[in-house]
Amino acid sequence: MKSLKTAWAALVVLTLTAPAFAGHHGKKMDVVDTAAAAGTFETLIAAAKAAGLVDALKGDGPLTVFAPTDEAFGALPAGTIKTLLMPENKDQLATILKYHVVAGDLGSSALADGARLDTLAGIDAVISATEAGFNIENARIVKTDIDTSNGVIHVIDRVILPPTQMSRTDSAAAIRAAIDRGVPMF
């Protein structure tokens, strides 16, 4: 009977002190660590590292990340990932990844048809309602509300690419070309 009481007391002590030894396992993980633990976002994490965005994604936030899976990255044309991961394409890669991130903690209740989200790339992404749920820029949101210590992750089924932005010099060239073709100016 005495050994049963001793065993019970040891169990109570271990149960009460276990969280102190749990380290990060006892706390909610940030966006990057949550994605890494899922095991289906290895390409996204590699891209974030190549673009120099890991520290920002591990920061205080809050952030909402529309996270493409490894399968979504795999659906890109052959060679795209390899090319984007090259050091000379770091800025382009960073823009693409920032197009998947919104400042703030936007849970699924914030998703609405026609909602325009101001991404960290500085380019709006539009949410659309479908029979199956919601899309962001035609990527289906397949899982929502993965809570992290610094925001929320929504899983999407493809990589979304920001629309190409026409630079001022491109605009000036287009105007000159239109004038040269005889397009009337009003």
Side-chain angles (χ1 to χ4, degrees), residues 121-151:
I123 306 164
D124 287 353
V126 179
I127 300 291
S128 56
T130 69
E131 289 181 16
F134 287 100
N135 287 356
I136 180 167
E137 294 297 325
N138 296 316
R140 192 166 59 93
I141 302 171
V142 296
K143 184 166 176 55
T144 59
D145 299 325
I146 300 170
D147 199 26
T148 71
S149 65
N150 62 343

Side-chain angles (χ1 to χ4, degrees), residues 81-94:
I81 297 168
K82 185 178 178 182
T83 300
L84 286 172
L85 293 176
M86 292 177 174
E88 61 268 24
N89 296 323
K90 182 178 179 178
D91 291 341
Q92 181 183 6
L93 178 60

Side-chain angles (χ1 to χ4, degrees), residues 3-170:
S3 63
L4 183 58
K5 285 183 182 178
T6 304
W8 181 253
L11 180 62
V12 169
V13 169
L14 284 174
T15 302
L16 294 175
T17 59
F21 297 106
H24 79 277
H25 298 291
K27 297 187 303 185
K28 210 182 294 183
M29 295 182 288
D30 61 44
V31 167
V32 175
D33 293 340
T34 300
T40 56
F41 302 101
E42 291 177 18
T43 307
L44 177 61
I45 293 167
K49 287 177 183 175
L53 297 176
V54 170
D55 288 342
L57 292 172
K58 290 178 89 46
D60 291 339
L63 300 170
T64 299
V65 178
F66 292 90
T69 61
D70 292 334
E71 189 175 298
F73 275 100
L76 291 172
T80 302
I81 297 168
K82 185 178 178 182
T83 300
L84 286 172
L85 293 176
M86 292 177 174
E88 61 268 24
N89 296 323
K90 182 178 179 178
D91 291 341
Q92 181 183 6
L93 178 60
T95 299
I96 291 169
L97 294 179
K98 289 177 184 178
Y99 192 55
H100 291 78
V101 183
V102 176
D105 192 342
L106 302 175
S108 59
S109 62
L111 302 178
D113 191 36
R116 299 183 77 76
L117 305 179
D118 184 21
T119 69
L120 295 187
I123 306 164
D124 287 353
V126 179
I127 300 291
S128 56
T130 69
E131 289 181 16
F134 287 100
N135 287 356
I136 180 167
E137 294 297 325
N138 296 316
R140 192 166 59 93
I141 302 171
V142 296
K143 184 166 176 55
T144 59
D145 299 325
I146 300 170
D147 199 26
T148 71
S149 65
N150 62 343
V152 64
I153 298 172
H154 301 303
V155 180
I156 57 177
D157 69 348
R158 70 180 194 87
V159 177
I160 56 175
L161 300 174
T164 55
Q165 298 291 307
M166 189 182 287
S167 72
R168 289 178 192 243
T169 56
D170 291 341

